[in-house]
């Protein structure tokens, strides 16, 4: 069983046998989102599930940070894992691909166990997803760490597909481009499982991910399948450049599908 330094936080751990163990949530300190305007960025990846009773506080914290992050170099992604689905409630947003991504982080972090809610910042540090003070501190630290790689994305929906052109500067061999298609908001009335009877709100739900090696020049084109219900107003596309040797996220960009403008870092 994995040890968490702050025993006051709540998390549910999945052992190798698939059993869950949950701690008690005693709350966390409140602090303003980092207001630093530096040369860095913070990518927050939350692994969560509608079937996990410890996850709603982390989902709520992510929503608060997302709201405060407007205009800042903070990028939020919520992956709904599928290993909770067999325990009473099937999360409609869950995917085995997101569980595999979390398992890959376990390999990069040299950890044999995975848990929810787990939040990873820039692919370098992991926290219980409701540990507000630690997460905000990590965001502040990353915003002051200058990015060495810049990424520009141009994305254009075409029927049921998304045509993506990317250009990465200073990219090196061993880096991959991950393209995430994200639904900005959703609500679910949970009927069974640990959250039975609750209506859960979600933000920045990853509905599709595509992971591929960067081209040797750092520039190329990709075609991504679009999920059912996609539109250019309530969804967005975020691209990450990730070191495949250790999981560190080196660059990030978001495409504004409404007007075609591109934000970059």
């Amino acid at each position: 069983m994995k040890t968490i330094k702050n025993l006051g936080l709540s998390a549910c751990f999945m052992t190798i046998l698939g059993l869950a163990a949950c701690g008690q949530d005693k709350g966390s300190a409140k602090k303003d989102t980092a207001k630093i305007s530096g040369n860095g960025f913070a990518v927050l990846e939350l692994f969560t599930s509608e079937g996990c009773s410890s996850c709603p506080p982390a989902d709520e914290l992510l929503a608060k940070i997302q709201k405060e992050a407007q205009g800042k170099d903070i990028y939020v992604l919520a992956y709904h894992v599928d290993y909770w689905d067999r325990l009473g409630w099937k999360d409609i947003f869950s995917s085995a691909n997101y569980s595999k991504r979390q398992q890959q982080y376990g390999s990069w972090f040299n950890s044999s166990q995975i848990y929810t809610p787990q939040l990873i910042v820039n692919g370098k540090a992991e926290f219980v997803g409701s540990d507000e003070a630690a997460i905000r501190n990590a965001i502040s630290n990353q915003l002051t760490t200058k990015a060495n790689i810049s990424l520009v994305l141009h994305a254009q929906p075409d029927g049921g597909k998304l045509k993506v052109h990317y250009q990465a500067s200073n990219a090196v061999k061993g880096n991959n481009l991950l393209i995430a298609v994200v639904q900005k908001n959703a609500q679910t009335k949970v009927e069974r499982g640990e959250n039975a009877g609750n209506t859960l709100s979600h933000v920045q739900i990853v509905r599709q991910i595509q992971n591929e090696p960067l081209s040797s020049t750092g520039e190329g084109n990709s075609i991504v399948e679009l999920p059912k219900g996609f539109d250019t107003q309530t969804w967005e596309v975020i691209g990450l450049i990730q070191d495949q040797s250790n999981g560190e996220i080196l660059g990030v960009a978001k495409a504004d599908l409404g007007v075609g403008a591109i934000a970059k870092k």
Side-chain angles (χ1 to χ4, degrees), residues 28-60:
S28 56
K30 294 184 178 180
K31 182 181 178 182
D32 290 339
T33 294
K35 298 179 180 179
I36 300 169
S37 179
N39 295 319
F41 62 86
V43 175
L44 311 184
E45 296 180 90
L46 176 68
F47 294 92
T48 185
S49 172
E50 291 182 343
C52 164
S53 62
S54 296
C55 288
D59 295 330
E60 292 169 7

Side-chain angles (χ1 to χ4, degrees), residues 108 171-177 213-215 241-248 250:
W108 279 323
V172 298
K173 185 177 181 180
N175 294 338
N176 275 20
L177 173 69
L214 283 173
S215 70
I241 298 176
Q242 190 162 40
D243 187 330
Q244 295 305 289
S245 68
N246 59 19
E248 181 178 355
L250 306 172

